[in-house]
Amino acid sequence: MKPTVHDIARCAGVSLATVDRVLNARPGVRGATRERVEQAIVTLGYVRDLAAANLAKGRTYRFAFILPANDNSFMIGLRREVEAAIARSSVERTQIEIIEVPAFDGGALVLALENVLARKPDGVALVAIDAPQVRAVAERLADAGVAVVTLVSDLGASGRHHYAGIDNIAAGRTAANLMGRFLSKVDGRVGLLAGSMLVRDHRERLEGFLSVLSEDFPQVAILPVIEARDDPALAETSIREALRRHVGLNGIYSLGAGNRGLIRALREVDAARRPVVIAHELTASTRKALADGVIDAVLNQDAGHEVRSAIRVLKAKADGLPVLAAQERIRIDIFLKDNLP
Amino acid sequence: MKPTVHDIARCAGVSLATVDRVLNARPGVRGATRERVEQAIVTLGYVRDLAAANLAKGRTYRFAFILPANDNSFMIGLRREVEAAIARSSVERTQIEIIEVPAFDGGALVLALENVLARKPDGVALVAIDAPQVRAVAERLADAGVAVVTLVSDLGASGRHHYAGIDNIAAGRTAANLMGRFLSKVDGRVGLLAGSMLVRDHRERLEGFLSVLSEDFPQVAILPVIEARDDPALAETSIREALRRHVGLNGIYSLGAGNRGLIRALREVDAARRPVVIAHELTASTRKALADGVIDAVLNQDAGHEVRSAIRVLKAKADGLPVLAAQERIRIDIFLKDNLP
DNA sequence: GAATTTCTGATTTACGTACCTCAAAAATTC
DNA sequence: GAATTTTTGAGGTACGTAAATCAGAAATTC
């Protein structure tokens, strides 16, 4: 039988009230007594029944999710997943608020975090921009006892308790490996389409991609990076132009979001002369492009998993519990046209 | 505020006892009254607080996991994950029993299932062999109110409530896609190494692989399938012989487990003349082979996720709750040497 | 050693649900 | 309409924990 607080009281020879004082770090227990109780807890192997404790406390976890007001499919999907979590909130004892901030705007993010700090929720999840000011506010939040989890894009280990997202260096390296092997011609020329170098995820993908390409596929030439701010229209014109200018362009790695424009530009090219294309995030448009053979591979992060994982971690941090690292690792999904879910 | 049983009682104008009778399907309530209560439940949007209910009931979920007594790394890892779940059982209100049966032995599996049926647990998870007799016992279990979940290898939709494993046809198709694209030579010859055609997962991988290869890469020739019963020693000699006999062999798809033997045989070949190799399950040996360039890609299913998912689903089924399909989808991980976790 | 402060024990209520008993009310049967 | 059965109400206890009160015991201070 699982030991309860009563068993501890009996084992330590103290009353229930004293056990409660020790367990909940309330004052009014002498050091010697406290140790006796802690000893009893260890010897009996007591673990607090979280369900019963939350019931007694009537606890609800208050969390804030700060999301960029981007209108690309991935961010829309991410928001939808947070909304789905809100719909489950009565069952999960959570109370989640979504805060939208302009995309790629460090100042706005800092302001939003400061507003959150004033309300002192149990935890915050944010799609980070890894600027020093952002990190500073994040640290103040952590100091104030608020659990901080970065989502999708990271902040560096110092600024947060946990990162719920993929390893973007590995993603870039994987893209390069696939690109190198899919390019049958040895004299490949590869173009790169990014969102913004302000966010860490894009920078890391680029870094990983370049390092593997130069190490393992030195014969492949790399063209200058095009930054399109995850904007479909901008991406479309840039790619169309690049395709026209660089006639030997036979590979494109799109490491950001907003692939609708890229795909539109690609569809204008003859199937036989289309470059090998690797993109990120499985959305309606990338899925269709993959099925049609316009895109060759999609690296994906599952927004639903990220949101659910972030909530689990926020809860654990709020309760001072450890997180199961293996369970919370967000994986890089690789989709070819044959393993579309 | 979340409505409680008290709110229902007040809203329906009945006593708490009557609400309880309706909620727990106890007899002694007139049809008209029952309807009034059900109406109140709907209008108030009541959802039973599972934590409180389980606390009151002192409930523990009794589950049985039937695993093949295979000694390949994947099955050992799977068992370890179930043991990890057992270690969490006091927190998760579960009581899990592991039952080992000889591998690839339908009769033994049937016997084990019948023993389980006699004890009537809340749920069973099994690595299935999809024989008619196995399906028949599984159906009897389901009829007896036991939740049945297949793990890793499926049984066909009729025999179980849920399948916690990857889509093996898609896995085979994916392997073929990668194989076709990785083989730079157009006149490839591909060898196939399987465990046993008795289990559905191996059959389905083979089916998917062959169909994509013949559709999209018709120039690739396929050699007869080698069945090695997931036995490393058997695999080693078979592959060594195949490599000697078929000098033009430049691709191998290992769709079963027990890759240690395959890898040993491969290491004897000159790096320059090694075939493109795609295998299943990330273990210590396949991981090392991947890092060393002996294997080119590994398709993996995360045993930890499968076990945790199976438990979540068994709980949901035991409580008559729906499962979140998106959350429980087990994904095909594709590992290259650049995205090893 | 008296006064004060600090600990500790005993007891109670509460969270939301399950499950039990007993009596009263209502409906049904004869 | 009396006897019977069925339905309903009222109330309690329990699960494991949190949080509170209040009295008394022990330690500390002067």
Side-chain angles (χ1 to χ4, degrees):
Chain A
M1 277 292 97
K2 249 182 82 179
T4 73
V5 279
H6 296 86
D7 299 319
I8 299 176
R10 204 167 337 106
C11 174
V14 299
S15 78
L16 218 60
T18 303
V19 175
D20 181 63
R21 288 179 187 117
V22 173
L23 277 176
N24 296 290
R26 269 184 272 275
V29 183
R30 225 181 324 156
T33 316
R34 160 159 282 129
E35 267 178 37
R36 271 222 317 286
V37 173
E38 277 163 357
Q39 186 54 48
I41 289 172
V42 173
T43 56
L44 290 179
Y46 169 82
V47 275
R48 168 201 252 112
D49 185 327
L50 246 189
N54 284 343
L55 177 61
K57 275 198 283 216
R59 160 151 222 182
T60 56
Y61 301 84
R62 288 169 45 241
F63 298 141
F65 273 70
I66 305 182
L67 306 178
N70 240 338
D71 79 330
N72 63 64
S73 305
F74 177 73
M75 281 302 165
I76 292 171
L78 189 70
R79 205 166 315 136
R80 218 191 301 283
E81 291 294 343
V82 179
E83 281 157 7
I86 291 176
R88 292 191 304 269
S89 58
S90 69
V91 184
E92 296 183 352
R93 296 180 178 282
T94 52
Q95 196 180 323
I96 298 171
E97 180 193 10
I98 296 181
I99 299 165
E100 291 217 337
V101 294
F104 304 126
D105 183 340
L109 183 53
V110 168
L111 230 68
L113 285 168
E114 270 165 355
N115 279 333
V116 164
L117 179 54
R119 266 170 296 154
K120 281 210 201 310
D122 295 308
V124 189
L126 68 148
V127 178
I129 293 172
D130 69 326
Q133 300 94 313
V134 176
R135 194 170 307 126
V137 204
E139 275 164 16
R140 277 167 53 209
L141 273 160
D143 290 342
V146 180
V148 180
V149 168
T150 48
L151 197 64
V152 177
S153 193
D154 200 8
L155 196 57
S158 68
R160 43 70 180 169
H161 294 110
H162 180 85
Y163 163 57
I166 60 170
D167 177 343
N168 284 296
I169 294 184
R173 294 178 64 88
T174 305
N177 188 328
L178 289 175
M179 179 65 76
R181 306 197 71 152
F182 284 2
L183 283 175
S184 48
K185 294 172 193 142
V186 284
D187 63 334
R189 299 176 77 187
V190 173
L192 286 162
L193 178 65
S196 164
M197 288 300 116
L198 274 180
V199 284
R200 185 183 273 247
D201 53 348
H202 289 197
R203 283 206 312 278
E204 289 183 342
R205 286 174 194 173
L206 179 61
E207 177 193 336
F209 187 81
L210 294 179
S211 76
V212 165
L213 220 53
S214 64
E215 275 168 38
D216 296 348
F217 306 96
Q219 74 280 11
V220 175
I222 299 157
L223 302 176
V225 179
I226 299 168
E227 276 190 56
R229 297 182 63 78
D230 290 358
D231 177 349
L234 198 52
E236 183 173 1
T237 52
S238 312
I239 290 295
R240 191 178 290 129
E241 197 192 343
L243 284 168
R244 193 174 42 226
R245 233 189 357 217
H246 307 286
V247 283
L249 183 66
N250 44 21
I252 294 177
Y253 175 38
S254 167
L255 55 83
N259 284 312
R260 287 198 301 272
L262 164 68
I263 291 166
R264 273 199 298 269
L266 285 169
R267 286 194 192 272
E268 293 167 2
V269 182
D270 278 0
R273 283 190 297 139
R274 254 184 224 136
V276 172
V277 179
I278 298 178
H280 274 268
E281 316 316 353
L282 192 68
T283 62
S285 58
T286 54
R287 164 191 286 273
K288 179 137 198 317
L290 202 51
D292 294 347
V294 173
I295 289 186
D296 297 86
V298 167
L299 305 191
N300 184 62
Q301 51 189 322
D302 190 309
H305 279 215
E306 289 176 328
V307 170
R308 287 189 292 269
S309 172
I311 292 172
R312 272 197 303 270
V313 171
L314 285 174
K315 277 186 175 180
K317 295 290 175 192
D319 290 331
L321 261 44
V323 302
L324 280 175
Q327 177 163 215
E328 307 308 344
R329 218 192 78 238
I330 305 295
R331 291 172 302 172
I332 302 167
D333 285 328
I334 302 175
F335 290 113
L336 308 175
K337 74 171 202 287
D338 297 300
N339 65 335
L340 282 172
Chain B
M1 278 290 97
K2 251 183 83 178
T4 72
V5 279
H6 297 85
D7 299 319
I8 300 176
R10 203 166 340 106
C11 174
V14 299
S15 78
L16 218 59
T18 303
V19 174
D20 181 65
R21 287 177 188 120
V22 173
L23 277 175
N24 295 292
R26 268 186 271 276
V29 182
R30 223 183 327 158
T33 316
R34 160 160 280 128
E35 266 177 39
R36 268 220 319 286
V37 174
E38 277 162 355
Q39 186 54 48
I41 290 173
V42 172
T43 56
L44 291 180
Y46 169 83
V47 274
R48 169 201 251 112
D49 184 328
L50 245 190
N54 283 344
L55 177 62
K57 275 196 284 215
R59 161 153 219 181
T60 58
Y61 300 84
R62 289 168 48 238
F63 298 142
F65 273 69
I66 306 181
L67 306 177
N70 240 340
D71 79 332
N72 63 65
S73 306
F74 176 74
M75 280 303 166
I76 292 170
L78 188 71
R79 206 167 313 135
R80 216 189 304 283
E81 290 293 345
V82 180
E83 281 157 7
I86 290 176
R88 294 191 304 269
S89 58
S90 68
V91 185
E92 297 184 350
R93 298 181 177 280
T94 52
Q95 197 181 323
I96 298 171
E97 180 193 12
I98 297 181
I99 299 165
E100 291 215 338
V101 295
F104 305 125
D105 183 341
L109 183 54
V110 168
L111 232 66
L113 285 168
E114 269 165 356
N115 280 333
V116 164
L117 178 55
R119 268 170 296 153
K120 280 210 202 308
D122 295 308
V124 189
L126 69 147
V127 178
I129 294 172
D130 69 325
Q133 301 94 315
V134 176
R135 192 168 308 125
V137 203
E139 275 165 17
R140 275 167 53 209
L141 274 160
D143 290 343
V146 180
V148 179
V149 168
T150 49
L151 198 62
V152 178
S153 193
D154 200 9
L155 195 58
S158 68
R160 43 72 181 168
H161 294 110
H162 180 84
Y163 163 56
I166 59 169
D167 177 342
N168 284 295
I169 293 183
R173 295 178 64 89
T174 304
N177 189 328
L178 289 175
M179 179 64 78
R181 305 198 72 152
F182 284 1
L183 283 175
S184 49
K185 295 173 192 142
V186 284
D187 63 332
R189 297 176 78 188
V190 173
L192 287 161
L193 178 65
S196 164
M197 288 299 116
L198 273 180
V199 283
R200 185 184 275 246
D201 53 349
H202 290 197
R203 282 207 314 277
E204 288 183 341
R205 287 174 194 172
L206 180 62
E207 177 192 336
F209 187 83
L210 294 179
S211 75
V212 165
L213 220 54
S214 65
E215 275 168 37
D216 296 347
F217 306 94
Q219 75 279 11
V220 176
I222 299 156
L223 302 176
V225 179
I226 299 168
E227 274 189 59
R229 296 182 62 80
D230 290 355
D231 177 349
L234 198 52
E236 184 174 359
T237 53
S238 311
I239 289 295
R240 190 177 291 128
E241 198 192 344
L243 283 168
R244 193 175 42 229
R245 235 193 350 222
H246 308 286
V247 282
L249 183 65
N250 44 20
I252 294 177
Y253 174 40
S254 167
L255 56 82
N259 285 311
R260 287 198 300 273
L262 163 69
I263 291 166
R264 275 198 296 269
L266 285 169
R267 287 196 191 272
E268 294 167 3
V269 181
D270 278 359
R273 281 191 297 139
R274 253 182 224 139
V276 171
V277 179
I278 298 177
H280 274 267
E281 315 319 351
L282 190 69
T283 62
S285 58
T286 55
R287 162 191 288 274
K288 177 133 200 322
L290 202 50
D292 295 347
V294 174
I295 288 186
D296 297 85
V298 168
L299 305 192
N300 184 63
Q301 52 189 321
D302 190 309
H305 279 216
E306 288 176 329
V307 170
R308 288 189 290 269
S309 171
I311 292 172
R312 272 197 303 271
V313 171
L314 285 175
K315 276 187 174 177
K317 295 289 177 193
D319 291 330
L321 260 43
V323 301
L324 280 175
Q327 177 163 217
E328 308 307 345
R329 217 193 78 239
I330 305 295
R331 290 172 303 170
I332 303 167
D333 285 329
I334 303 175
F335 290 113
L336 309 176
K337 75 169 199 291
D338 296 299
N339 64 335
L340 283 172

